[in-house]
Amino acid sequence: MQVSRDFSHYVRAAGEGLQHIDLAVEGVHCAGCMAKIERGLSAIPDVTLARVNLTDRRVALEWKAGTLDPARFIDRLEELGYKAYPYETASAEATEVAESRFLLRCLGVAAFATMNVMMLSIPVWSGNVSDMLPEQRDFFHWLSALIALPAAAYAGQPFFRSAWRALSAKTTNMDVPISIGVILALGMSVVETIHHAEHAYFDAAIMLLTFLLVGRVLDQNMRRRTRAVAGNLAALKAETARKFVGPDEISQVPVAAINPGDIVLLRPGERCAVDGTVIEGRSEIDQSLITGETLYVTADTGTPVYAGSMNISGTLRVRVSAASEATLLAEITRLLDNALEARSRYRRLADRASRLYAPVVHATALLTILGWVLAGAGWHDAIVTGVAVLIITCPCALGLAIPTVQTVASGAMFKSGVLLNAGDAIERLAEADHIIFDKTGTLTLPDLDVVNAAAIPADILALAGQLALSSHHPVAAAVAQAARAKSPIVGAVEEAGQGVHASVDGVEIRLGRPSFCGADDLARSSVDLDPEASIVAFSRGAEKFVFTVRQALRPDAVTVIAALKARNVGIEILSGDREPAVRAAATALGIPEWRAGVTPADKIARIEELKRRGTRVLMVGDGMNDAPSLAAAHVSMSPISAAHLSQATADLVFLGKPLAPVVTAVDYARKALHLMRQNLWLAIGYNILAVPIAISGVVTPLIAAAAMSGSSILVMLNALRARSASRGITSWKS
Amino acid sequence: MEVLIILVPLALGLGLAGLAAFLWSLKSGQYDDLDGAAWRAIADDEPPQETQPDLRSVKR
């Protein structure tokens, strides 16, 4: 059977007879890589563009249409030592990029306006106490208006839109007082300028927008960066399937190009990338990523298989079905929808603060106006003072208090391998006081490992590893991995369902089922020791050995659990796996609270029960069966190896083998929440100082500008402290 | 004070020129890869592409 690679799904026309493809590249991290890749790819004839993006770790390629096969670029990169995968921009990421450009443009406009208005304001401020002619002051005010009004109309859009959305939904957010403050300040300044008054607040209003936009741009950039990394990781997983394009012809195509009704081939050792039903073949499949159950399931004609299942022994033909047809998925989807709906009711700290803040501030301004009128001042003066109160309380610092901390903290988390999916994840994670772990793939590593590798002579392990390279079986792959085998043994023969054998220097060597190697007795004693493990035997002549292969605990799981306990966090395990397997893991980790054989609905029920007791649950899980409980929990986390659905549902995703990012993330989040609260208090403290001055009616534009920038800078500096989390995480980081 | 007639438009013109330059740089994608740009500034010149003869070497 012929297998060809088909990447046409990712290729798009770039105009003028050119074609374009984006590749996500693994391992690009320096200028050297950049130059090497660009030179290597440009050397291919007919390539017109090869440009590396070091921030996003991607390569953009363009070539003359019809001259080259995209697979050639991937081969070329392979020769250069980089793994590359075609990349398709997800719509979510495209939106983030567009949004980030728009914010940057707004910031550019606002910063330009601020600089020029300030330039005009300084002579007015100094002129008011010296000998400036009223005509000159008016001229400068009009010029300021000319610059500030269009600039604010453009650069204020992010705030005005968001405020409008909140008001139409009959709620408030931080952008409502911001928008009211800016619009009133500008409006009053225009009226004052028309009446040749001494003070105008164009400078304060536009400066406020600039400061707030700095915060927004930083926040957006961090989010965009995270999104790019997540997008790359999805591409690096290289989700392809072997699709039948003719009765005997197979093409390897990206999953995105597969439709319901297509037939795909699933070979032993491959992970299924689609949902479907087996139509031909017989095999054992590992459904642990879906159900948490580590025992293999027998797949036969008519058995449903889900994306993420690993095929173990035989070759299968699978007819692709639409996701909703499968009963398990339908059940999980239903639970997930319910849980997500419940979670969207969470109120963010900033929104809670603004709910209190906006009415207080607006009432104060109103009372100021009424107070001055009652005290005998004219309506005009009273209103001017009232608006001055609004300007001085306009939540510049408050608007920055939370986004800046969030940006700094998510940047620090990003560096330690934690990606944020949800904007409010940090706040919710900081509140978590009980952690529920899934076992399979979360506390344990998703891949199989040889547990007793240390007890086996090094030369035997190396030889077995080499022989294992000739087999597709996942257990054999684990042996090869453990032995770090590179070169297969020439002439090795695989006997389906039994094992592999070869002869080296005239001695017969075998790797496979214990019976295949004549090591039944040895195997039986190993099974008694560890009933969960798969046993694979190896024989060289008369010498016999057995390897115990199973999913090992994450290398630092024990220390992480201990560290979490030290932070006064309740810990329990809820697993879909059988009791002995869960008991073994719980004992090894010292977790007294555990439950085995739990269904997705049971997991949710347990979370609800904890919720009723007032506990805030962090759910850490990876399986598709965990997706609903990930959504139901107060906050959730997934390893990057998790099923698609779970990863999309989780608030945070962590990379790599260690479990340490869970503690790191908790520490950063707690520190960040502490700083957010501190920043809010700083902002309120500033208001308590500034508001009496504003109410007394002595605020000049100079005082407004100084107070506003002073408090903003203070809050930003305080936010920088979120970079370092407390309690020395690095000391036990592997 | 007649000097204002020259100075104010001049100042605004310079400011607008700066803004235009920023918007142009944003549009031409100069903010798309900040990490890479930092390295490109100090990297050696890229070698001539095979399709385009290097004019410098021809002159010599």
Side-chain angles (χ1 to χ4, degrees), chain A residues 434-438 443 553 557-558 560-562 564-565 570-574 582-595 659:
Chain A
H434 191 93
I435 306 186
I436 297 180
F437 281 101
D438 168 51
L443 289 173
L553 286 173
V558 176
V560 168
I561 298 296
L564 286 171
K565 280 183 181 163
I571 296 171
E572 69 177 273
I573 301 179
L574 288 186
V582 184
R583 183 198 301 277
T587 318
L589 295 170
I591 302 175
E593 254 187 287
W594 54 269
R595 284 208 273 165
L659 196 60

Side-chain angles (χ1 to χ4, degrees), chain A residues 519-545:
Chain A
D520 277 329
D521 300 341
L522 256 176
R524 213 163 292 134
S525 57
S526 293
V527 168
D528 291 344
L529 272 177
D530 191 349
E532 292 313 302
S534 306
I535 304 294
V536 56
F538 177 71
S539 65
R540 182 172 69 177
E543 291 177 277
K544 309 225 185 307
F545 302 90

Side-chain angles (χ1 to χ4, degrees), chain A residues 38 52-55 136 143, chain B residues 1 8 23 32-33 35 40 47:
Chain A
E38 288 185 354
V52 176
N53 184 324
L54 199 60
T55 316
Q136 282 169 358
L143 265 180
Chain B
M1 279 298 150
V8 168
L23 292 180
D32 288 354
D33 180 17
D35 291 1
R40 279 181 208 277

Side-chain angles (χ1 to χ4, degrees), chain A residues 473-496:
Chain A
H473 201 284
V475 173
V479 173
Q481 181 83 36
R484 293 199 183 84
K486 289 267 170 357
S487 51
I489 290 173
V490 185
V493 180
E494 179 164 20
E495 281 180 31

Side-chain angles (χ1 to χ4, degrees), chain A residues 220-369:
Chain A
Q220 182 65 31
N221 270 0
M222 196 57 235
R223 223 178 301 165
R224 185 189 147 187
R225 216 186 159 116
T226 313
R227 190 73 73 176
V229 170
N232 280 6
L233 287 169
L236 297 186
K237 274 186 166 178
E239 297 259 308
T240 58
R242 293 162 198 280
K243 172 179 155 184
F244 281 91
V245 287
D248 251 350
E249 204 183 336
I250 297 174
S251 183
Q252 194 170 357
V253 296
V255 171
I258 287 182
N259 301 311
D262 286 347
I263 295 171
V264 298
L265 184 76
L266 195 59
R267 300 193 305 182
E270 280 181 349
R271 224 173 247 293
C272 187
V274 294
D275 299 319
T277 318
V278 176
I279 55 166
E280 194 188 311
R282 198 184 157 78
S283 173
E284 290 173 303
I285 53 173
D286 173 4
Q287 302 252 43
S288 66
L289 193 57
I290 292 106
T291 57
E293 166 73 80
T294 46
L295 209 64
Y296 300 151
V297 180
T298 308
D300 213 335
T301 307
T303 310
V305 287
Y306 305 100
S309 318
M310 170 80 97
N311 184 19
I312 305 293
S313 45
T315 304
L316 296 173
R317 286 191 188 207
V318 176
R319 187 190 299 278
V320 181
S321 61
S324 55
E325 281 177 35
T327 49
L328 174 68
L329 270 180
E331 167 74 2
I332 284 175
T333 314
R334 192 182 57 77
L335 288 170
L336 188 61
D337 287 347
N338 292 343
L340 281 175
E341 196 182 326
R343 192 169 71 181
S344 62
R345 291 186 208 126
Y346 179 76
R347 289 242 162 267
R348 300 174 67 155
L349 183 57
D351 292 341
R352 277 180 278 158
S354 71
R355 281 202 146 192
L356 291 174
Y357 185 82
V360 170
V361 165
H362 294 153
T364 314
L366 197 65
L367 286 177
T368 309
I369 297 174

Side-chain angles (χ1 to χ4, degrees), chain A residues 343 419-422 425 428 634-637 649-653:
Chain A
R343 192 169 71 181
L419 306 180
L420 290 172
N421 257 350
R428 286 187 280 124
H634 189 61
V635 58
S636 51
M637 227 170 157
T649 315
D651 298 309
L652 304 105
V653 173

